C-alpha cells in the first residue's frame, strides 16, 4: 500500500510555491556568490603562488647611480653565488601628471603576463599595465603622448613583480590611478635613453634613468633567515665595491619586503572566513523561515496529523516528511549555486580582484573544500534548525492534534490589552498571536539592516576617515632619508622608525617611532619617555581604539626577523588615526634596536626641506599621499560594499514577503469570519498588513 504521506508533497509544494521559489532563488544566489568567491579566491591565490616560478620573479633588486661595470657584476655573482639581471627603467612624467615606469621587454626574469593584445614589437609600440589602463580609459590601439613622442598601445599586461602598483615601497598605499609600469622594445628603450642624454641639462627634462638590477639566488629553497643573512652580505659587498668605483647604491630591496610583489598575495583569500560566515548566517535565517512556514503548515493540518498519529505513524516519520521539502530544496539550491559559482559568479568575483590588483591570468581550479563548505554546511544548518523546531512541535499527543491544539496549554489568561480603538486592539492582538513569526522577521530585518548599513556607510566612513587623517597628520612633510643627512630647516625634527608585530586582539604590523623629547609634532610628547628602567611609549589613537589598551598597561611586540619580544609600558595616547603606531624617545629607540646614538630615519617638518639633495631622499609623505590612499581604497573596495547593500535589500524583501504570507495564512479562518461580517479586502489588508508594518518599523 502506498504511503499516504507521499501524496502530500506535491500539494504542499503547490500551496507554498511562491514562498519556496523566493527562498530557493535567494539561496541559489547566496551560495553561488560564496562558492564563486571561494573558487576564484583559491584559484587566483594558486596562480599567484605559482607565478614566482612561472614568471621567474626576482629574489630582490638594487638600483645604482651609474651602470655597473662588468668587474662589479662578476665579483658579486662569484662571491655571493647570485645571478644578476640588468633591468634598467626610465621614469616618465606625462603631461596629465601620470607616471610611467618604462622597462625594455623582459625574457628571463620578472616576466610579463599578456592579458590582451601582444608585447611591443615595433620601436613605437608600448604595453602598459591593464588596471592602470582601465582606470584611465586606455585601450589597445590607442596612442599616448610621452615627452612629445607618440606611442601606440599594443597590449595590456600584468608585470609579475608589480601585482600591486606601488611606485615606492615605502608608500602608504599602491596607486593604480596615476602610476603604471610599461614595456617597450629594446630599440625603443635605447632611443628613450639616448634622448635622455640629449636633455641632460634638465631644462625640459621629464625623464629619469634608473640602473636597476634584479637578482636570483643560485640555491633556492633557503629559509627566510638564511635569505636575509645572504641579502645583508650582498648589500655589504655591493656597498664596498660601489664605494671604490664611486657608484652609489640608491635602493636595495629583498623580495620578501617588496610590497609591489606581496601586497596582493597577502590579501588574496584573506576574506574567506568572513564570506563563509556570511553564507551560514543567511542559511540560518532561511532555515528559520522554512521552519516557520512548516510550523504554519502543521497548524493548518493539525487534525490530519492527529489522524496519522492515531493510525500508527510515528513522530520520526512525520519529522522526516516535513523536513523533506526544505532539505531537497536546499540540496538543489546548493548544487545549482555551485554550478553558477564555477561559471558566472567566479568571473564576477575575479573581476573584483582584477579591479584592485594587477594580477596575471589564472586557471579555474576544482576546490573540494569550497564545494563542501557551500553544500554540506547549509544542509547541516537547514536540517538542524528544522529538526529542532519540528521535534518540539510534534511532541504533542495525537488527541491534542485531533482537537486542533498545536501548542501546550499554559495556565493563565490572555494578555490584557489597553482600552484603545477596536481596530488598533485587533492589530495588537495579531502581533501577539504571531510573535514567533515576527521574531524571525526581526532577526532577518536586523541582519539585512546591518548589511545595508555596512554597504551604505563605506563612502561617508571613508570621507570621515580622510578628514580625520588630514586633520591629525603628524606634519605637512614627512621625509624618509636614505642616509643620515643634516638640515638647517627651521622646525625640522629627527625621527627613527621601525616595524614590529603585534599579536593580540589583532595580528598586524606596528610602526615604532622614535621621536625628539618634547616634540612639537606629537601630542603628549612631554610625557616622561626617557625613564631608564623601562621603555615608555605613547600609542596612536587608532591602535588604542582598535585594541582598547589603556594607560599603565604593558604591551608586547615581536621582531619576526630577530626572533625577539619587546615589552613596553603605555603612558598615554597620540591623536593619530592614520595607522597603528607607538611613539617613544628617539634615544631609547636607537638603544633598543642597536641603531647607534646619532642614527635617525628622517625628518618631521611643516616646511619643505630644500637643503637636502633629492638623491638622499627616499620618500616624502604629504597631504596628497594621504588623499591618494583613500581614493585607492574607494576604488578597490567600493564595489564590494555596493554588493553588500544589494544582498541586504533582497534579504529584507524575501523575509518580509515570506513571513507576511505566513501570518496571513495562519489567520485565514479569522479573515473569513471578518469577511462574513462585511469587512472589505482593503479593510482586512489594513488590519493585517498594518500589523506587519508596525512590527517591521519596531
Amino acid at each position: 500500500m502506498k504511503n499516504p504521506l507521499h501524496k502530500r508533497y506535491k500539494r504542499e509544494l503547490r500551496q507554498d510555491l511562491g514562498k519556496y521559489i523566493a527562498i530557493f532563488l535567494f539561496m541559489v544566489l547566496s551560495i553561488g556568490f560564496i562558492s564563486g568567491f571561494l573558487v576564484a579566491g583559491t584559484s587566483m591565490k594558486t596562480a599567484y603562488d605559482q607565478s614566482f616560478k612561472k614568471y621567474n620573479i626576482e629574489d630582490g633588486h638594487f638600483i645604482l647611480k651609474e651602470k655597473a661595470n662588468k668587474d662589479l657584476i662578476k665579483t658579486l655573482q662569484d662571491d655571493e653565488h647570485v645571478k644578476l639581471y640588468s633591468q634598467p627603467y626610465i621614469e616618465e612624467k606625462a603631461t596629465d601628471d601620470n607616471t610611467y615606469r618604462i622597462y625594455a621587454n623582459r625574457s628571463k626574469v620578472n616576466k610579463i603576463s599578456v592579458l590582451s593584445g601582444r608585447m611591443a614589437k615595433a620601436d613605437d609600440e608600448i604595453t602598459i599595465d591593464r588596471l592602470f589602463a582601465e582606470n584611465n580609459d586606455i585601450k589597445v590601439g590607442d596612442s599616448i603622448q610621452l615627452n612629445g613622442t607618440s606611442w601606440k598601445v599594443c597590449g595590456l599586461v600584468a608585470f609579475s613583480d608589480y601585482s600591486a602598483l606601488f611606485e615606492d615601497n615605502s608608500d602608504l598605499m599602491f596607486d593604480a590611478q596615476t602610476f603604471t609600469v610599461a614595456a617597450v622594445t629594446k630599440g625603443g628603450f635605447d632611443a628613450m635613453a639616448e634622448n635622455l642624454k640629449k636633455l641632460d641639462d634638465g631644462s625640459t627634462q621629464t625623464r629619469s634613468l634608473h640602473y636597476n638590477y634584479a637578482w636570483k639566488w643560485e640555491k633556492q629553497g633557503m629559509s627566510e633567515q638564511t635569505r636575509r643573512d645572504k641579502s645583508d652580505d650582498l648589500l655589504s659587498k655591493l656597498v664596498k665595491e660601489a664605494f671604490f668605483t664611486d657608484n652609489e647604491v640608491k635602493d636595495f630591496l629583498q623580495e620578501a619586503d617588496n610590497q609591489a610583489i606581496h601586497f596582493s598575495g597577502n590579501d588574496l583569500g584573506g576574506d574567506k572566513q568572513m564570506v563563509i560566515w556570511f553564507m551560514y548566517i543567511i542559511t540560518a535565517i532561511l532555515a528559520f523561515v522554512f521552519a516557520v512556514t512548516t510550523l504554519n503548515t502543521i497548524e493548518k493540518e493539525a487534525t490530519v496529523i492527529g489522524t496519522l498519529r492515531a493510525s500508527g505513524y510515528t513522530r520520526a516519520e512525520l519529522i522526516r516528511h516535513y523536513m523533506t521539502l526544505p532539505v531537497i530544496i536546499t540540496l538543489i539550491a546548493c548544487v545549482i549555486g555551485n554550478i553558477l559559482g564555477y561559471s558566472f559568479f567566479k568571473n564576477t568575483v575575479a573581476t573584483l580582484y582584477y579591479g584592485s590588483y594587477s594580477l596575471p591570468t589564472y586557471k579555474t581550479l576544482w576546490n573540494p573544500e569550497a564545494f563542501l563548505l557551500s553544500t554540506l554546511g547549509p544542509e547541516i544548518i537547514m536540517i538542524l534548525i528544522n529538526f529542532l523546531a519540528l521535534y518540539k512541535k510534534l511532541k504533542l499527543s495525537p488527541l491534542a492534534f485531533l482537537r486542533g491544539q498545536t501548542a501546550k496549554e499554559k495556565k493563565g489568561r490572555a494578555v490584557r490589552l489597553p482600552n484603545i480603538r477596536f481596530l488598533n486592539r485587533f492589530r495588537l492582538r495579531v502581533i501577539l498571536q504571531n510573535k514567533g513569526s515576527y521574531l524571525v522577521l526581526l532577526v532577518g530585518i536586523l541582519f539585512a539592516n546591518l548589511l545595508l548599513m555596512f554597504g551604505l556607510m563605506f563612502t561617508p566612513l571613508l570621507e570621515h576617515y580622510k578628514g580625520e587623517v588630514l586633520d591629525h597628520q603628524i606634519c605637512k612633510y614627512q621625509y624618509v632619508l636614505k642616509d643620515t643627512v643634516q638640515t638647517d630647516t627651521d622646525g625640522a625634527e629627527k625621527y627613527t622608525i621601525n616595524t614590529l608585530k603585534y599579536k593580540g586582539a589583532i595580528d598586524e604590523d606596528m610602526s615604532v617611532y622614535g621621536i625628539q623629547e618634547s616634540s612639537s609634532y606629537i601630542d603628549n610628547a612631554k610625557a616622561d619617555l626617557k625613564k631608564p628602567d623601562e621603555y615608555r611609549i605613547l600609542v596612536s589613537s587608532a591602535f588604542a581604539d582598535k585594541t582598547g589598551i589603556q594607560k599603565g598597561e604593558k604591551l608586547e611586540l615581536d621582531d619576526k626577523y630577530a626572533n625577539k619580544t619587546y615589552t613596553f609600558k603605555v603612558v598615554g595616547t597620540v591623536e593619530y588615526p592614520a595607522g597603528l603606531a607607538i611613539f617613544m624617545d628617539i634615544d631609547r629607540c636607537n638603544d633598543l634596536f642597536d641603531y647607534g646614538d646619532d642614527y635617525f630615519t628622517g625628518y618631521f617638518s611643516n616646511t619643505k626641506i630644500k637643503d637636502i639633495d633629492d638623491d638622499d631622499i627616499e620618500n616624502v609623505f604629504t597631504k596628497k599621499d594621504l588623499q591618494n590612499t583613500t581614493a585607492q581604497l574607494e576604488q578597490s573596495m567600493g564595489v564590494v560594499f555596493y554588493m553588500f547593500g544589494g544582498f541586504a535589500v533582497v534579504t529584507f524583501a524575501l523575509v518580509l514577503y515570506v513571513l507576511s504570507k505566513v501570518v496571513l495564512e495562519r489567520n485565514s479562518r479569522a479573515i473569513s469570519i471578518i469577511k462574513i461580517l462585511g469587512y472589505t479586502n482593503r479593510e482586512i489588508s489594513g488590519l493585517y498588513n498594518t500589523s506587519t508594518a508596525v512590527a517591521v518599523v519596531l
Side-chain angles (χ1 to χ4, degrees), residues 528-545:
D528 186 11
L529 301 180
K530 275 185 172 291
K531 197 170 181 179
D533 58 336
E534 58 187 355
Y535 292 105
R536 299 161 66 87
I537 61 169
L538 303 167
V539 298
S540 67
S541 56
F543 180 71
D545 293 341

Side-chain angles (χ1 to χ4, degrees), residues 21 31 77 113-114 178 220 234 358 378 398 415 466 469 476 506 510 589 650 669:
I21 288 177
I31 293 174
Q77 293 187 145
S113 173
V114 179
T178 63
Q220 294 293 308
L234 176 61
S358 302
V415 177
K466 180 164 60 175
V469 168
K476 294 181 179 179
I506 54 175
M510 295 277 296
C589 183
V650 175
R669 183 178 298 178

Side-chain angles (χ1 to χ4, degrees), residues 254-309:
Q254 303 171 58
E255 168 261 321
D257 298 328
N258 194 333
Q259 290 202 86
I261 295 176
H262 284 283
F263 189 91
S264 59
N266 294 335
D267 183 50
L268 288 172
D271 299 325
K272 176 181 175 181
Q273 296 302 321
M274 182 188 73
V275 297
I276 290 174
W277 280 108
F278 174 73
M279 175 181 64
Y280 289 163
I281 291 173
I282 288 179
T283 304
I285 292 174
L286 296 180
F288 276 112
V289 172
F290 262 124
V292 171
T293 302
T294 304
L295 296 180
N296 180 53
T297 302
I298 290 175
E299 291 181 5
K300 290 191 300 183
E301 300 178 344
T303 55
V304 176
I305 293 173
T307 303
L308 291 172
R309 289 293 308 277

Side-chain angles (χ1 to χ4, degrees), residues 128-181:
I128 61 175
D129 178 82
R130 186 250 341 145
L131 181 57
F132 172 84
E134 290 180 359
N135 291 338
N136 289 273
D137 197 26
I138 300 174
K139 300 178 178 60
V140 174
D142 291 350
S143 294
I144 57 176
Q145 298 291 324
L146 297 176
N147 203 24
T149 303
S150 178
W151 297 85
K152 182 179 179 181
V153 178
C154 63
L156 305 181
V157 300
F159 282 64
S160 58
D161 55 331
Y162 283 94
S163 57
L165 290 175
F166 280 91
E167 184 175 356
D168 191 281
N169 198 61
S170 60
D171 286 346
L172 298 175
M173 177 62 70
F174 62 92
D175 181 11
Q177 308 284 331
T178 63
F179 172 73
T180 184
V181 281

Side-chain angles (χ1 to χ4, degrees), residues 394-658:
L394 294 174
K395 286 178 71 175
L396 295 173
S397 65
L399 183 59
F401 280 110
L402 286 171
R403 291 173 177 170
Q405 178 186 337
T406 57
K408 288 185 178 181
E409 292 185 357
K410 297 181 180 179
K411 293 182 180 181
R413 295 176 298 176
V415 177
R416 187 179 182 86
L417 299 179
N419 187 19
I420 55 179
R421 292 180 58 203
F422 169 75
L423 293 180
N424 291 336
R425 293 182 65 183
F426 191 99
R427 295 185 182 108
L428 189 56
R429 186 67 70 186
V430 169
I431 294 175
L432 293 174
Q433 289 175 344
N434 296 276
K435 55 182 177 294
S437 298
Y438 287 133
L439 181 61
V440 177
L441 180 66
L442 167 68
V443 175
I445 290 177
L446 178 62
F447 178 71
N449 281 345
L450 289 174
L451 281 181
L452 190 59
M453 288 174 62
F454 192 61
L456 295 179
M457 72 190 296
F458 175 70
T459 300
L461 183 65
L462 197 58
E463 287 297 321
H464 174 73
Y465 170 76
K466 180 164 60 175
E468 286 289 297
V469 168
L470 295 178
D471 290 342
H472 297 96
Q473 63 184 115
I474 294 177
C475 57
K476 294 181 179 179
Y477 299 92
Q478 182 176 339
Y479 286 85
V480 181
L481 303 179
K482 296 178 181 179
D483 201 358
T484 53
V485 182
Q486 302 295 329
T487 180
D488 294 325
T489 304
D490 290 338
E493 287 186 6
K494 299 175 183 177
Y495 74 90
T496 300
I497 190 170
N498 195 4
T499 301
L500 296 177
K501 175 72 72 174
Y502 174 70
K503 294 184 178 180
I506 54 175
D507 185 6
E508 295 190 38
D509 288 337
M510 295 277 296
S511 297
V512 182
Y513 283 94
I515 60 174
Q516 298 280 359
E517 185 178 9
S518 300
S519 170
S520 58
Y521 295 100
I522 307 299
D523 297 338
N524 298 329
K526 294 182 179 179
D528 186 11
L529 301 180
K530 275 185 172 291
K531 197 170 181 179
D533 58 336
E534 58 187 355
Y535 292 105
R536 299 161 66 87
I537 61 169
L538 303 167
V539 298
S540 67
S541 56
F543 180 71
D545 293 341
K546 201 166 188 178
T547 62
I549 195 166
Q550 300 290 328
K551 180 179 179 181
E553 293 183 3
K554 299 289 186 180
L555 175 64
E556 291 189 348
L557 300 177
D558 296 333
D559 188 334
K560 59 183 178 180
Y561 301 125
N563 195 25
K564 292 182 180 179
T565 298
Y566 302 99
T567 302
F568 305 91
K569 182 179 180 180
V570 179
V571 296
T573 59
V574 174
E575 195 63 36
Y576 182 65
L580 307 180
I582 66 173
F583 302 85
M584 61 188 302
D585 180 76
I586 188 171
D587 295 329
R588 300 286 284 147
C589 183
N590 291 344
D591 174 66
L592 180 66
F593 298 117
D594 298 323
Y595 285 154
D597 295 338
D598 298 326
Y599 177 83
F600 61 94
T601 303
Y603 288 100
F604 297 138
S605 178
N606 281 332
T607 56
K608 192 171 183 179
I609 295 177
K610 299 179 180 180
D611 57 350
I612 295 180
D613 193 276
D614 290 343
D615 291 338
D616 295 321
I617 298 175
E618 178 71 27
N619 209 340
V620 184
F621 295 117
T622 63
K623 180 179 179 179
K624 183 179 179 181
D625 295 292
L626 297 174
Q627 291 172 330
N628 288 341
T629 298
T630 53
Q632 185 60 54
L633 282 172
E634 188 169 12
Q635 170 71 23
S636 301
M637 302 176 64
V639 177
V640 177
F641 283 86
Y642 292 137
M643 293 184 69
F644 275 110
F647 265 103
V649 172
V650 175
T651 301
F652 177 86
L654 172 69
V655 173
L656 184 59
Y657 165 74
V658 173

Side-chain angles (χ1 to χ4, degrees), residues 292-412:
V292 171
T293 302
T294 304
L295 296 180
N296 180 53
T297 302
I298 290 175
E299 291 181 5
K300 290 191 300 183
E301 300 178 344
T303 55
V304 176
I305 293 173
T307 303
L308 291 172
R309 289 293 308 277
S311 301
Y313 283 89
T314 64
R315 188 193 311 161
E317 289 177 307
L318 291 174
I319 290 176
R320 285 197 298 270
H321 165 73
Y322 284 109
M323 286 182 63
T324 299
L325 275 178
V327 170
I328 290 177
I329 289 174
T330 301
L331 181 61
I332 295 174
C334 289
V335 173
I336 296 178
N338 273 279
I339 292 173
L340 291 175
Y342 273 88
S343 54
F344 174 75
F345 286 109
K346 175 259 301 181
N347 295 328
T348 302
V349 176
T351 301
L352 295 179
Y353 279 121
Y354 277 119
S356 298
Y357 303 119
S358 302
L359 298 167
T361 54
Y362 78 102
K363 180 180 180 182
T364 303
L365 302 175
W366 162 250
N367 188 342
E369 181 188 22
F371 181 77
L372 289 175
L373 290 173
S374 58
T375 303
L376 192 59
E379 277 289 351
I380 292 175
I381 293 174
M382 188 65 66
I383 291 172
L384 185 62
I385 291 177
N386 279 272
F387 173 79
L388 293 175
L390 289 169
Y391 180 81
K392 182 179 180 181
K393 194 73 171 179
L394 294 174
K395 286 178 71 175
L396 295 173
S397 65
L399 183 59
F401 280 110
L402 286 171
R403 291 173 177 170
Q405 178 186 337
T406 57
K408 288 185 178 181
E409 292 185 357
K410 297 181 180 179
K411 293 182 180 181

